[in-house]
Amino acid sequence: MSHKEDFTMDNAELELAKLRAAPITPKIRLQIPPQDMPAQDPAARRSNMEEVALGYTPAQAMLEAERCLQCKNAPCISGCPVRIDIPGFIGKIKEGDFLGASKIIKKTNLLPSICGRVCPQETQCQAPCTVGKALGGVEKAVQIGRLERFVADYERAQGAMEMPHVAPPTGRKVAIVGAGPAGLTCAVDVRREGHEVTIFEAFHKPGGVMVYGIPEFRLPKVLVQSEAEVLECMGVDFELNFLVGRTRPLRALMSEDGYDAVFIGTGAGLPKFMNIPGENYVGVFSANEYLTRANLLKAYMRGMAGTPIYPSRRVAVLGGGNVAMDSARMALRLGAEEVRVLYRRTREEMPARAEEVAHAMEEGIIFDFLKSPTRVLGDDRGRVAALEVLSYELGEPDESGRRRPVPIRGSEQIIPFDTVIVAIGNESNPLISHTTPELQVDKHGHILVDEKQKTSIERVYAGGDIVLGAATVILAMGEGRRAAQAINEILQ
Amino acid sequence: MHGTHRIVSKTQLSEEVFRIEVEAPLVARERKAGQFVIVMYDEEYSERIPLTIADADPVRGTVTLIFQTVGASTHKLALKNPGDEIVLLGPLGNPTHIERFGWAVCVGGGIGLAPLYPIAKAMKEAGNRVTVISGARTKDLLIMQKELVAIADEHIVVTDDGSFGRKALVTEPLKELCMQSPPPDIVVTIGPPIMMKFCAETTRPFGVKTLASLNTIMLDGTGMCGGCRVAIGDQTKFVCVDGPEFDAHLVDWNGMMMRLGTYKEIEKEAHDRCHLEMQIAKLEAHAADKESAK
Ligand SMILES: Cc1cc2nc3c(=O)[nH]c(=O)nc-3n(C[C@H](O)[C@H](O)[C@H](O)COP(=O)(O)OP(=O)(O)OC[C@H]3O[C@@H](n4cnc5c(N)ncnc54)[C@H](O)[C@@H]3O)c2cc1C
Ligand SMILES: Cc1cc2nc3c(=O)[nH]c(=O)nc-3n(C[C@H](O)[C@H](O)[C@H](O)COP(=O)(O)OP(=O)(O)OC[C@H]3O[C@@H](n4cnc5c(N)ncnc54)[C@H](O)[C@@H]3O)c2cc1C
Ligand code: SF4
Ligand code: SF4
Ligand code: FES
C-alpha cells in the first residue's frame, strides 16, 4: 500500500470538518477538488495480482459527495444506461447513510460493486455532469463510479447484502444461455417473479468476461462469485460446462425440456486477428486466449495451475481498448521486461477507460501511438522474433467522427518482440446461430432483436454483446433487464 | 451449481494408456463419431484437456475416453478413480462426415487408435468396406485391437520394432493400398502429427481424398480463444469449431507441429515435477506400509 493513501485519508477528514463548519454554497462545492482514489504503489503492483485501486475511505466518499450540486434535472442520470438515481444516492452518502445509498442504487443496478469498478464513467454518467461542465473537463466531474463502488463495498463489508425478494412459484420455467452480466441480470429479474430459472454456461465458472477476461487486479473474482452466490440463494439453478447448441440444441430446451422462454446472452466470444503474414507463429495470442489462461485458469499461480502461459520478455499488444490495457498489464505482472501497446490512432481516440490508461502508464507500459504492424517475423523455430511496424498520421475524420489514421509510406521499422497479443476486438460467436438456422442475425453475426429484445423466434430473447457487438458490462445488464421485463410479461 | 460428471469405471490398457467411462447422459445422447470433449481433473487449477469420445452408451448415459499419459495433466487425470467427479464439456467439434464412399481406409497410430475406432465403426455402419491400419511403436501400445478387428473387413497391423504384425510404418501398407486399382475412396488418419503428415504425403500422388483429425493445443474448445488455429490452404481455421477434421492435403503440418511445441519447455518441467511427486508419494506409501507391518 502506498503512503498516498494515509495522506489523502487524513486530509479528507480534516477537509470535511473544515467544510462543514459553515453553510456550503454551490461555489464552495465547485472548489472542492475531485478526490483521488487511493491505489497500490505502481512499483509494487506491477508484480502482484491484487486489486490496483483501493477505494475511498468514508471521509473521502463524503467529501466527494459534497461536490454534487444535486441538480434538479440531474443530467448524470441520462448518462447511466440503467438510470440510477444518482443525486439520490449521493445525497445519502452526504448524510453518512451508506446503506441507504446502496438501497437506492440497487433499485436499478444489481451489480454496483462491479459497475463502480468497470463502467467507462467518463463517457457515461460522468460525461454530462454539471460539475464537470462547469469546471471545463469531464475528469473534474463528480466521481460517481468511485462513489458507487464505495457504497457497494461498504455494504459487503458490513455483511449487509440484501437478497432480492422472490415471489411464490409460478410453475413457469426460463432458460438463460450464458452467465455473463446480461444473463445474470436477466436471471435475477425473471426469478424475482417466481419463475424457475436455469442458467446454462459453457465454462466451469459463472461471470462471462468478468471472470475470464477482466483481470483480478481490476475486478477481484470474489465479487463476481458472491454475486453468483446471491443468485443461487434466490434459487437460480446453474448448469455449468453446458454448451447450448452442442450439449443440447437451443430448440430442444423449449420443445422437449419444458422451458417457456429462453434468453441468449452468449457474448462476443470470437477473437479478431490482424490478418497479417506471420500471425500463426508461436508467441502470437489473441487477448482472449492470453487472458483466459491467466485469469480463469490461474496460470499466474505457477506450480499450482496446470495451464501454462508463454514466458515473455518483450511483449507487443495490438489495440487501444480495455482488452489491450488488460493484456498489457497482465503481461507485465507475469514477468515481461518491456510491454508496448501499439495503437493506430492517438491517446484521445483510445476507447479504453481513462483510469486504466493512466494506471497502465504509471506501471511503465510504453505506448506507441500511430503505429500498426504489417508483418510478424519469426525465427527458425517458428517463434516470434519481431514486428514490422508502419507509422501513421491522422487525416480527415471518418464516419465515426474520429480522424482517420493514414499510413506514412516508407516508414516501416522492425522492432524486436518475442510475444504479440492481438487485442483488436471480438466478433460474435456463431455457434448458436449456426446450430439454430431460424435465428436471424445481421452480417456480423449479431442476433437481431426488436425493442423488447425478442429475436426472430417466439419466446426467444437475446441481449448483451451477442446483440450489441463488443460493448460494456452495464449495457449488457441493461439489455438483460429489458429482456427479463418482456419475458415476465409473456409469462404472466 | 452442477457441472461435474462422475467417473464410473477406469481400466489401464497399457502402462501409459487409460480408459475411463464417465456419466454424461446428454453428451452420450448428442455425440457423433469424430467429436470430442474437454475435461478438467478439478475446477480450480486443472488444465483443459481435449479428448475424443472413443465410445458412448446413450442408454447407460456414459461416454468412454481413452487417453495416454503424456504430460502432467493427463497424469493427474489418470489418478482419478471411479466415483470421483471431473469437469466435462461437450460434445465439441464437427462430427465426421460419414457416407457410403465405397472403400474406406482408416489409419491410426498409437493413442490415435482410440479416436479412430468410432469413425471406423460409423464408416462400416454406413455400408463401406473398411480397411484398418493399426500402427504403434511397439506391441504394448497397440490399443483397441479387439474392437477394431470386430468391425474391420481387413485389419493390417504394423509396429516400428516388429514386435507385432509387420515391422513397418503405417505409410507402407497405406501406399500399397493406394496402388491397388481402384484405389481407396477415402482415407482417414489419426495419430501423431508427423504420422498424419506422412500419410498425407503418401496419398497425395494418388489423388486419394484424405482426412486428418487434428490435435492442436486447445483452451475453451468453443471458438473463443483462437489458440487452436492452423493454416488450411490459404485460410486460418479454428480446429475446435471448424474441425477437428480437415483435408490432410491442405493442412500446414509444419506450422501445426511448431504451434504444438509452444509450451514444450514449461510442460516438460511440469511433467518432471509431477513424476517426482508421484515417486515421492509411492515411496512414502511404501514406508507407511512397512511401518504398519511392524
Ligand atoms: C478483457 C476485457 C476487458 C473489458 N473491460 C471492460 C470494462 O472495463 N468495462 C466494461 O464495461 N466492459 C468491459 N469489457 C466488455 C464487457 O466485459 C462485455 O461487454 C460484457 O461482459 C458483455 O456481457 P455479456 O453478458 O453479453 O457476455 P459475456 O460477458 O461475454 O458472457 C457470455 C457468457 O456466455 C457463455 N456462452 C457463450 N456461448 C455459450 C453457449 N453456446 N452455451 C452456454 N454458454 C455460452 C460464455 O462462456 C460466457 O460466460 C471488457 C471485455 C474484455 C474482453
Ligand atoms: C480434438 C482433440 C482430441 C484429442 N483426443 C485425444 C484422445 O482421445 N486421447 C489422448 O490421449 N489424447 C487426445 N488428444 C491429445 C490430448 O489432449 C493431449 O495429449 C493432452 O492435452 C496433453 O496434456 P498433458 O498436460 O498431459 O501433456 P502436456 O505436458 O501438455 O504435453 C505433452 C506433450 O504432448 C504434446 N501435446 C500437448 N497438447 C497436445 C495435444 N492437444 N495433442 C497432442 N499433443 C499434445 C506437447 O507438445 C508435449 O510434447 C486430443 C487432442 C485434441 C485437440
Ligand atoms: S452504473 Fe455505471 S454508468 Fe450507471 S451510475 Fe454507475 S458507474 Fe455510472
Ligand atoms: S450532474 Fe453531477 S452534480 Fe448534478 S446531480 Fe448529477 S452528479 Fe450531481
Ligand atoms: S480452443 Fe479456443 S478457439 Fe479453439
Side-chain angles (χ1 to χ4, degrees), chain A residues 79-84 86 89 109 115-116 119 121 124-126 144-145 148 474:
Chain A
C80 168
V82 294
R83 308 276 182 270
I84 292 181
I86 295 168
F89 94 79
N109 183 350
C115 296
C119 267
Q121 289 94 6
Q124 295 182 348
C125 52
Q126 287 168 205
I144 302 168
E148 183 173 332
I474 189 75

Side-chain angles (χ1 to χ4, degrees), chain A residues 283-307:
Chain A
V284 182
F285 302 93
S286 75
N288 282 358
E289 177 178 1
Y290 195 78
L291 290 170
T292 302
R293 283 178 183 275
N295 294 322
L296 182 71
L297 299 168
K298 301 199 171 78
Y300 65 88
M301 299 176 91
R302 291 200 182 115
M304 288 289 277
T307 306

Side-chain angles (χ1 to χ4, degrees), chain A residues 67-77 86-87 90 125 128-132 141-142 144:
Chain A
R67 297 183 64 233
C68 171
L69 305 172
Q70 296 286 317
C71 313
K72 282 238 158 51
N73 58 345
C76 48
I77 296 181
I86 295 168
I90 295 185
C125 52
C129 169
T130 316
V131 172
V142 176
I144 302 168

Side-chain angles (χ1 to χ4, degrees), chain A residues 202-206 212 228 232 237-243 246-249 269-271 273 279-282 284-286 288-289 292-293 296-298 301 303-311 381-383 429, chain B residues 1-4 26-27 29-30 35 40-41 43-48 73 87-94 217-220 222-227 229-231 236 238 241 258-259 261-263 265-267 273:
Chain A
F203 270 129
H204 56 290
K205 289 199 176 146
Y212 75 71
E232 268 202 302
D237 195 21
F238 284 85
E239 285 287 348
L240 304 175
N241 306 302
F242 194 115
L243 187 65
R246 286 277 189 225
T247 311
R248 197 98 178 93
L270 182 73
F273 285 92
E279 223 166 359
N280 288 345
Y281 279 133
V282 175
V284 182
F285 302 93
S286 75
N288 282 358
E289 177 178 1
T292 302
R293 283 178 183 275
L296 182 71
L297 299 168
K298 301 199 171 78
M301 299 176 91
M304 288 289 277
T307 306
I309 195 124
Y310 200 62
R381 294 157 66 218
R383 296 188 171 232
N429 193 315
Chain B
M1 298 201 190
H2 315 285
T4 56
L26 292 176
V27 183
R29 181 162 69 178
E30 292 294 329
Q35 289 186 300
M40 297 173 76
Y41 51 79
E43 285 175 282
E44 282 307 314
Y45 299 109
S46 175
E47 193 170 11
R48 294 170 67 85
S73 299
V87 168
L88 184 146
L89 171 73
L92 303 171
N94 297 306
I217 289 175
M218 286 191 184
L219 197 61
D220 56 299
T222 68
M224 187 276 274
C225 78
R229 68 192 188 277
V230 63
T236 291
F238 289 5
V241 285
M258 265 169 0
R259 290 186 58 78
T262 302
Y263 301 103
E265 278 115 54
I266 312 176
E267 273 159 353
R273 195 170 52 229

